[in-house]
Each structure stands twice: as structure tokens, then as C-alpha cells.
Amino acid sequence: FDYWDDLKYANLIIFIIWYCTIRLFYQVEWYYVLLLSFITMVIYNFVYNKIHYSIHKIDECKYKDNFIFKWLYNNHIVHHLTKGKNKGNYNIVFPGADHILGLYNSKVN
């Protein structure tokens, strides 16, 4: 997959989930939800690529002393060091998703 394939599939998944959920409460045209999901995925991918690159190039990162960045860095390091069936900590931008999905590891297993 390349960047646009990832964006396309993620956008489709987000659109389906959001459209079904939003339609429960509001009468919104499908194309507004599609636009919102596309904008969200573009922003998410930009932030992901920025943070992920910075984590792997920590010595060059100007945010390396920020406590949030340090937490994200440690979370991602556990992802790389944990092998096999216990692998987790997949989400860099929204690490809460790992908690919700039961994929969070506080230490290397």
C-alpha cells in the first residue's frame, strides 16, 4: 500500500462508522460526512507522519523534552520491543485507542 491507498481505506472505514453514528442524531447529507472524514484522515496522516518520523529521529527532534512527546516516544518504543502475540501500542496519534481495544502494553512483554 502507498500513502493514498492507506488514506482511501481509512477514510472509507471512518466514513461508514461516522455516517451511521451521525445519522442516529442528525439529518446530514452523506457527502458532508465524507468530506469531514477525508479532512480528518488527511490531518491524522500528517500528524502521524510528523510524530512517527520524530520518534525514530529523536536526536534531531526539537520536541524531545516535551512530556507528551516523551510519553508517546516510550509508548512507541514498547511497540517496537514487544514481539509475538503480545505486540501492541500500535497507535501513535491516538494511543487511547490501544487502551480501548486492549492492545496497550505499559512495558515490554
Side-chain angles (χ1 to χ4, degrees):
F1 290 107
D2 68 354
Y3 175 79
W4 291 108
D5 281 338
D6 291 345
L7 189 64
K8 185 172 42 179
Y9 293 123
N11 186 48
L12 180 62
I13 292 167
I14 294 299
F15 168 73
I16 292 168
I17 293 168
W18 282 7
Y19 185 70
C20 294
T21 305
I22 290 171
R23 290 293 295 204
L24 291 173
F25 304 102
Y26 303 103
Q27 294 300 315
V28 178
E29 297 294 334
W30 66 269
Y31 46 85
Y32 290 123
V33 179
L34 183 63
L35 178 62
L36 179 63
S37 62
F38 180 76
I39 291 168
T40 301
M41 289 314 303
V42 168
I43 292 169
Y44 174 86
N45 275 298
F46 174 78
V47 173
Y48 172 86
N49 288 328
K50 185 77 171 161
I51 291 174
H52 193 239
Y53 176 81
S54 297
I55 285 172
H56 286 277
K57 300 290 186 179
I58 187 96
D59 294 332
E60 301 169 15
C61 180
K62 62 183 174 182
Y63 305 111
K64 67 182 174 186
D65 295 324
N66 178 291
F67 75 97
I68 294 172
F69 186 82
K70 284 181 183 179
W71 187 86
L72 291 171
Y73 175 80
N74 290 330
N75 184 60
H76 193 61
I77 292 303
V78 170
H79 165 75
H80 280 286
L81 295 176
T82 302
K83 305 296 181 201
K85 65 179 176 131
N86 293 325
K87 191 132 184 105
N89 298 17
Y90 293 100
N91 207 314
I92 293 174
V93 177
F94 300 119
D98 289 320
H99 289 275
I100 293 168
L101 297 171
L103 298 170
Y104 177 74
N105 293 319
S106 59
K107 60 185 187 317
V108 178
N109 295 324

